[in-house]
Amino acid sequence: MTAAIEKSIYLSAPRQAVWTYLTDAKKLGTWFHPSDTDMVAGATYTLSSQTDGERMCWGTVEESRPHDYLRWSFTVGPANGAMSTVEWRLEEIAGGTRLSLSHSGLPDTGDGFGLLLALDKGWHGFLMNLRQLSDDTPLAEAQPAA
């Protein structure tokens, strides 16, 4: 058995704009961690610390269905190479987008609980960064031409 983190937020931006903040390497770095590549299906990625450039997380983009669903394999140093799965679901709602995150395949042991807590806290903070970005600078204004 494994543990999972589930979170949803509401953003005052269309799905297409939110999608670019999940998949464009530079935009991902404005609220999460900078990526060495755009998050497209089949891409192997490394996300780095914004402060010192050190590798933070890495994996592969396993599936991409613009502007609805994105799935990554994902690990961090404390996971000792064990891969987990991060899934993003985007749902258009009146006035914006509901963005849902599911991070599954996490350890459900006493020893792994510290990692689970750290990831839960991290995702909460990063999603709040995205909400703040959405509130301060409408994401739709930053959307590249399709």
Side-chain angles (χ1 to χ4, degrees):
M1 184 145 225
T2 61
I5 296 167
E6 306 280 339
K7 297 191 179 290
S8 291
I9 61 170
Y10 294 89
L11 301 167
S12 56
R15 283 183 315 158
Q16 294 84 351
V18 175
W19 181 262
T20 65
Y21 278 80
L22 295 176
T23 58
D24 180 276
K26 290 180 183 170
K27 288 184 171 140
L28 193 60
T30 64
W31 64 274
F32 188 39
H33 293 295
S35 178
D36 64 343
T37 187
D38 288 341
M39 304 297 266
V40 297
T44 300
Y45 68 88
T46 299
L47 305 177
S48 302
S49 167
Q50 292 180 345
T51 55
D52 60 15
E54 291 294 314
R55 180 173 80 158
M56 297 294 297
C57 339
W58 58 96
T60 302
V61 180
E62 296 178 341
E63 187 174 348
S64 175
R65 286 182 279 162
H67 305 103
D68 299 312
Y69 177 80
L70 185 64
R71 185 178 73 232
W72 311 334
S73 66
F74 182 93
T75 194
V76 294
N80 297 318
M83 282 291 172
S84 57
T85 301
V86 173
E87 296 175 278
W88 300 97
R89 289 178 175 78
L90 295 83
E91 177 186 356
E92 187 173 334
I93 58 169
T97 301
R98 177 180 181 200
L99 176 63
S100 299
L101 161 77
S102 174
H103 189 166
S104 60
L106 299 168
D108 65 351
T109 63
D111 290 341
F113 191 68
L115 176 60
L116 183 64
L117 285 176
L119 289 168
D120 184 61
K121 181 180 178 182
W123 283 125
H124 180 80
F126 290 122
L127 290 173
M128 292 305 99
N129 290 347
L130 187 57
R131 176 177 283 146
Q132 188 67 48
L133 184 63
S134 174
D135 290 347
D136 291 347
T137 309
L139 300 182
E141 292 177 9
Q143 182 179 351

